[in-house]
Amino acid sequence: MRLDRLSGVHQGALAGSGAVEAMWGWMPVIPAGTSFGAYFGHTLADAKDGRPIPFAVTRLSGCAFAGVVAYLEVSRTHRRLRIGYQWHPEDMRGGAAAAATALALISRAKTCRIRRIEYLIDEENIAAIKSAERIGASREGVLSSHMRAAKGTWANMALYSLVDLQIRTAMALLQERVRALRLA
């Protein structure tokens, strides 16, 4: 998988991918409105300050669009970031594509000397919680009614993290998972 900084070039692929419908329930309300165009424009505008860094995921074999993901709340001073908004087409979920994307994100963060990686996950998003737990992320607690979602509900957000040695362990687990899935 290749991570490319999200730009206007990716808008068409993303709009036609099914990501919008799949992620809608988990997206936070934004001041600009709740349309795809509003979210896409808001994402690119926010990315200019470097705190969120959105990526388009591209499959290396065939260069096909393979999803989206972002670094959020990037703090170079405190060497931490949050990984969020990860989405892959249904046929790529739970397989080598998802594991390779997670590995690319965590590896890039480690290369940039990040010491703490966070995941803030809606408690109702069981698949995302299982994914974080599978790579060894520690559950640190729950932020009650932390975010108003685009679907109109208030979300309780579970906070997970990988710190120092956990980052290296997660990378090793993901490397092995990618290797095993490619051999299967």
Side-chain angles (χ1 to χ4, degrees):
M1 292 297 157
R2 186 180 75 225
L3 303 175
D4 299 314
R5 290 288 292 260
L6 190 72
S7 71
V9 178
H10 303 105
Q11 189 168 3
L14 184 56
S17 69
V20 176
E21 297 80 7
M23 294 174 66
W24 194 250
W26 314 115
M27 299 298 288
V29 169
I30 59 168
T34 56
S35 69
F36 169 72
Y39 272 92
F40 195 84
H42 179 79
T43 298
L44 293 183
D46 265 6
K48 288 181 181 174
D49 73 6
R51 288 193 45 152
I53 304 171
F55 298 101
V57 181
T58 303
R59 182 181 283 190
L60 291 177
S61 60
C63 294
F65 176 78
V68 291
V69 68
Y71 286 150
L72 307 165
E73 303 298 326
V74 177
S75 172
R76 288 170 180 81
T77 302
H78 301 290
R79 294 192 199 167
R80 69 175 179 245
L81 57 77
R82 184 175 302 146
I83 293 176
Y85 303 133
Q86 186 167 347
W87 178 86
H88 293 285
E90 198 166 329
D91 63 328
M92 294 184 198
R93 292 181 201 153
T101 300
L103 178 59
L105 286 161
I106 293 170
S107 297
R108 182 179 284 196
K110 185 167 180 352
T111 299
C112 293
R113 299 180 36 202
I114 295 296
R115 296 189 65 231
R116 177 182 171 85
I117 298 171
E118 298 174 346
Y119 300 87
L120 195 59
I121 306 168
D122 187 317
E123 275 193 316
E124 294 180 8
N125 191 343
I126 303 304
I129 286 173
K130 286 182 179 180
S131 179
E133 291 173 345
R134 200 170 24 253
I135 62 168
S138 298
R139 186 177 178 126
E140 295 185 347
V142 174
L143 304 173
S144 299
S145 292
H146 180 71
M147 179 188 84
R148 194 168 114 211
K151 64 184 175 183
T153 60
W154 286 91
N156 295 329
M157 305 299 286
L159 178 61
Y160 284 81
S161 70
L162 296 169
V163 181
D164 294 330
L165 179 59
Q166 290 172 309
I167 292 172
R168 290 190 295 278
T169 302
M171 288 172 60
L173 286 168
L174 288 163
Q175 286 167 343
E176 178 55 30
R177 180 161 170 72
V178 168
R179 189 188 69 69
L181 287 167
R182 284 187 180 151
L183 293 176

